[in-house]
Amino acid sequence: MTVLVTGGAGFIGANFIFYMLREHPDYRIVCIDKLTYAGNLSTLKPVESNGNFRFERLDICDRQGIYRLFQEEKPDIVVNFAAESHVDRSIDDPSVFLQTNIIGTSVLMDACREYGIKRFHQVGTDEVYGDLPLDRPDLFFTEQTPLRASSPYSSSKASADMIAMAYHRTYGLPVTISRCSNNYGPYQFPEKLIPLMIANALADKPLPVYGDGLNVRDWLYVEDHCRAIDLILHNGRPGEVYNVGGHNEMSNISIVRLILGELGKPESLITYVTDRKGHDRRYAIDPAKIHAELGWLPETKFADGIKKTVRWYLDNREWWETIISGEYRNYYEKMYGNR
Ligand code: TDX
């Protein structure tokens, strides 16, 4: 079985590769990644000498390159993690989001049509459903919730989902889609809430909380997400969407306080800054379908997952300190300098 993993040098893709090589030691994993700012080859160091692993630097928008790779590798399964994923960057400049997330996905699926495939899995996001109000804790996103994306990022992901389903219906491509809630864990790029707050707290820098800090996200440990995708690949039904999330809603401010507590840093570091434009209020997944059909439930409790994550960032300072000392510094200045 050959699995092509796109975006495998990014946070969730890399964790998925580790998971698959561990759980399916007889599978061949071919990873492609454009190596944008968010993709880091050093992340894949632990598997680079594994005989069942191949890496190639390749953009999913590069049709010729993708077709050549399909000819060479004849993948049985494609799992598409490759995406521009940071909402704030998409507000600053949507164009690359549309290019990679929409056009790139269609190029991959064209290659699947051309060369044949057992499964094309699109890694989606709960953000395609828009947001829920804070005062209706009884509401959750189900697979039937209408798409109502708010940001350029989430609308590009919603577009990709619709195109994937169109390829299923029109060409019979065996497509599945997962829509997961916010992930956290090792190797997450420090522009995202949890690693950014850990890095700032360790440097005694202000922790920039957007708006009133009461926005709610539904957090899932990355390995639980990887297991969900593995189950969908093997037992999920083509043409189906599976929501993935663990009923673990938390406000941003409570996460920030928890991180400060873990690190023994003072709450005086918390700084409220201008809100994100169009900021989604609350995400909350109803995972009933994946639980009923595939038996999936999250295994890592948030209290344990966040401890493991903080520990990982403490033990792997070189990984993220290299990142925040480079090009990312310009981004940070631009986003937070005058906020
Ligand atoms: O500095 C910050 N301060 C802050 O208050 C940052 C970076 C974020 N926030 C808030 C905004 C959100 O309410 O924290 C929350 C989480 O923010 P992000 O980490 O940027 O994630 P989010 O916008 O929720 O989107 C994430 O989850 C869904 C991923 O980035 C997406 O790729 C995924 O699809």
Side-chain angles (χ1 to χ4, degrees):
M1 187 76 85
T2 298
V3 184
L4 173 61
V5 177
T6 72
F11 162 49
I12 307 177
N15 275 284
F16 180 74
I17 289 171
F18 299 153
Y19 181 91
M20 292 299 277
L21 286 170
R22 199 177 63 230
E23 296 296 318
H24 305 282
D26 51 329
Y27 284 15
R28 174 168 169 77
I29 306 287
V30 177
C31 167
I32 59 169
D33 198 293
K34 186 182 175 184
L35 297 180
T36 64
Y37 77 93
N40 198 331
L41 253 193
S42 72
T43 302
L44 293 170
K45 253 201 163 58
V47 293
E48 68 185 3
S49 57
N50 186 315
N52 280 341
F53 177 71
R54 171 185 173 192
F55 174 83
E56 183 174 325
R57 183 175 195 171
L58 191 58
D59 182 350
I60 56 169
C61 296
D62 174 356
R63 189 174 289 271
Q64 267 193 339
I66 293 293
Y67 281 38
R68 183 213 9 97
L69 190 83
F70 269 72
Q71 262 166 4
E72 277 170 30
E73 292 288 351
K74 303 193 174 41
D76 301 287
I77 294 175
V78 175
V79 187
N80 184 29
F81 290 95
E84 292 289 336
S85 72
H86 195 42
V87 174
D88 294 322
R89 287 183 193 257
S90 82
I91 294 167
D92 189 46
D93 180 8
S95 58
V96 66
F97 286 74
L98 310 189
Q99 185 62 28
T100 297
N101 299 359
I102 305 174
I103 305 298
T105 301
S106 73
V107 168
L108 278 174
M109 289 191 298
D110 283 341
C112 291
R113 286 171 56 208
E114 183 75 23
Y115 296 99
I117 196 87
K118 294 198 180 81
R119 178 66 59 86
F120 175 85
H121 184 76
Q122 174 68 1
V123 180
T125 169
D126 61 355
E127 298 201 12
V128 297
Y129 298 121
D131 64 351
L132 297 164
L134 282 184
D135 60 0
R136 288 293 306 275
D138 56 314
L139 296 181
F140 298 93
F141 297 140
T142 73
E143 291 78 2
Q144 272 72 50
T145 303
L147 302 190
R148 203 172 56 87
S150 324
S151 70
Y153 159 69
S154 52
S155 53
S156 71
K157 291 295 284 181
S159 307
D161 283 7
M162 295 188 90
I163 292 167
M165 280 310 168
Y167 273 57
H168 170 70
R169 173 150 178 174
T170 309
Y171 307 116
L173 201 71
V175 169
T176 42
I177 296 177
S178 53
R179 294 186 180 138
C180 192
S181 58
N182 285 58
N183 280 210
Y184 69 102
Y187 298 106
Q188 189 168 29
F189 194 87
E191 67 188 348
K192 303 285 167 78
L193 179 76
I194 289 179
L196 184 139
M197 296 300 170
I198 295 173
N200 282 20
L202 286 172
D204 296 309
K205 278 174 49 179
L207 305 196
V209 174
Y210 298 166
D212 57 13
L214 298 179
N215 300 61
V216 166
R217 298 292 183 264
D218 183 357
W219 294 93
L220 185 73
Y221 193 63
V222 61
E223 209 169 274
D224 279 323
H225 184 190
C226 296
R227 191 165 38 83
I229 294 174
D230 187 21
L231 281 170
I232 295 169
L233 293 179
H234 292 96
N235 304 322
R237 290 178 293 140
E240 293 293 319
V241 172
Y242 294 89
N243 283 355
V244 184
H247 283 306
N248 184 55
E249 292 177 51
M250 296 186 67
S251 67
N252 295 337
I253 189 67
S254 58
I255 300 250
V256 170
R257 291 212 171 97
L258 208 78
I259 291 171
L260 286 170
E262 277 298 317
L263 293 172
K265 296 286 183 176
E267 295 208 353
S268 55
L269 287 175
I270 296 174
T271 311
Y272 288 92
V273 300
T274 314
D275 209 353
R276 173 185 279 173
K277 289 191 181 84
H279 197 175
D280 283 339
R281 217 37 178 154
R282 171 177 165 246
Y283 302 145
I285 285 272
D286 176 356
K289 178 176 174 180
I290 190 166
H291 177 53
E293 274 191 29
L294 306 178
W296 179 90
L297 276 178
E299 284 176 1
T300 303
K301 290 198 174 63
F302 189 78
D304 301 331
I306 193 74
K307 273 195 173 56
K308 272 206 274 192
T309 303
V310 168
R311 187 76 255 156
W312 188 87
Y313 280 87
L314 284 169
D315 292 344
N316 293 274
R317 286 184 90 117
E318 204 192 319
W319 181 87
W320 56 271
E321 279 179 347
T322 314
I323 288 169
I324 57 179
S325 64
E327 181 55 31
Y328 175 66
R329 209 161 33 185
N330 301 332
Y331 164 83
Y332 196 87
E333 260 315 299
K334 187 171 168 192
M335 285 295 173
Y336 296 95
N338 301 310
R339 199 155 186 160

